[in-house]
Amino acid sequence: MEIREPDPDESGRIREVVDSSMTTSFRLSPGQIDAVTDDQFADDAVAERLEDEATVLRVAETGDEIEGETVAGFVEGRLEDGWGTVNWLFVDPEHRGRGIGTRLYEAASETMRDRGVEQICVSVLEANTEGHGFVERFGLEHGGDRRIEIADESLVKYAYTDPGVDVDLPGESGTEDATEEAFPETEATDGMLTTTDDGETVYIDRDEERSGTAAPFYVTYEDEALTDQYGFYCANCGSVDISMDNVDRLECADCGNTHAERSGESYDDSYL
């Protein structure tokens, strides 16, 4: 395996890796995946980053004399305000289980530290079902959320940092504090987050979260003590008109945000 800078003519292969990785591991619709890849990993977007001195791009090349060499993984980091932020890390599902993700993360982190960054931050989309566990294996902890806009798609990123780090996270264009902005149609009532349904106050438990294709769902209750469950709240649009089928699949009737349980067997250390 070789970790190196990508060539400009490899942007097409990078996009293939991104698309296959997101299709396998992200709770996003095909349209959302296309929007992200079109916006972030088009030929001109990759070429622009290659020319940006504040951006660190690395690919993992694997193969042999018989099958030939191929790009099997990709990582992007950015230096800003004394931070090194790993924004994207993808490994082709066909090449997982070989330590490619770990090598890419270590290479990007080492490069950014060599360039003088003081702290490393890793951003993971909330919809990335396997990325959170991967990052936590390096001892990083969830330090905050951000809502980002990519090609008119509103997504939530989790920021992971070293334990005990108490500084402002690096800024990012088009982002908002998810803890402030991720709960439309709500208000604080005696320290609790609430919404209303047909004039009735509904209490939202922010500790009981279910992932969604557009934003998380949260369990709701009829009472402030959070004992009598009311239903679910959609953090994408603020609706409590949420249906659940017999396999615990949630769907918002207003915006189409969905959640489906994944088997515990689906997490297979595929990045490591």
Side-chain angles (χ1 to χ4, degrees), residues 9-231:
D9 61 359
E10 291 178 312
S11 59
R13 174 55 187 162
I14 289 172
R15 182 185 171 116
E16 290 177 356
V17 170
V18 172
D19 184 80
S20 61
S21 180
M22 294 186 76
T23 299
T24 300
S25 304
F26 285 57
R27 290 192 183 102
L28 296 174
S29 69
Q32 289 174 311
I33 292 174
D34 287 344
V36 172
T37 54
D38 287 345
D39 184 81
Q40 297 289 302
F41 302 100
D43 292 351
D44 55 349
V46 174
E48 183 177 340
R49 291 187 181 121
L50 284 170
E51 298 296 325
D52 183 3
E53 295 183 355
T55 300
V56 174
L57 300 183
R58 295 291 185 270
V59 294
E61 184 178 69
T62 64
D64 52 41
E65 294 181 358
I66 298 177
E67 297 183 358
E69 305 292 334
T70 187
V71 170
F74 168 80
V75 65
E76 176 193 315
R78 182 166 180 80
L79 294 81
E80 186 175 9
D81 299 332
W83 283 80
T85 303
V86 178
N87 286 319
W88 301 106
L89 193 157
F90 301 99
V91 176
D92 188 331
E94 294 185 1
H95 296 269
R96 293 181 179 178
R98 302 164 60 183
I100 295 174
T102 299
R103 289 280 303 276
L104 285 169
Y105 170 76
E106 292 174 344
S109 299
E110 181 179 351
T111 299
M112 291 188 289
R113 290 192 187 279
D114 288 344
R115 295 187 186 181
V117 304
E118 300 172 2
Q119 300 287 346
I120 297 294
C121 171
V122 182
S123 292
V124 181
L125 284 182
E126 187 275 337
N128 184 347
T129 60
E130 298 174 354
H132 304 279
F134 168 72
V135 171
E136 290 170 352
R137 289 172 180 259
F138 295 98
L140 303 180
E141 295 183 350
H142 180 200
D145 303 339
R146 302 171 180 171
R147 181 169 292 278
I148 63 172
E149 299 292 331
I150 299 178
D152 296 326
E153 293 290 337
S154 180
L155 304 170
V156 174
K157 271 189 174 183
Y158 286 15
Y160 289 86
T161 61
D162 287 325
V165 173
D166 187 22
V167 295
D168 291 335
L169 295 173
E172 188 173 351
S173 175
T175 66
E176 298 174 339
D177 184 353
T179 60
E180 298 277 337
E181 303 294 335
F183 299 94
E185 305 298 330
T186 62
E187 62 181 24
T189 303
D190 296 329
M192 300 288 293
L193 193 67
T194 65
T195 187
T196 58
D197 186 30
D198 292 332
E200 181 177 353
T201 299
V202 178
Y203 294 85
I204 300 169
D205 187 353
R206 294 170 61 175
D207 292 329
E208 294 190 68
E209 177 182 337
R210 309 281 182 90
S211 62
T213 54
F217 292 93
Y218 294 87
V219 178
T220 58
Y221 290 87
E222 298 178 1
D223 59 315
E224 187 175 352
L226 307 181
T227 57
D228 298 323
Q229 184 172 345
Y230 184 85

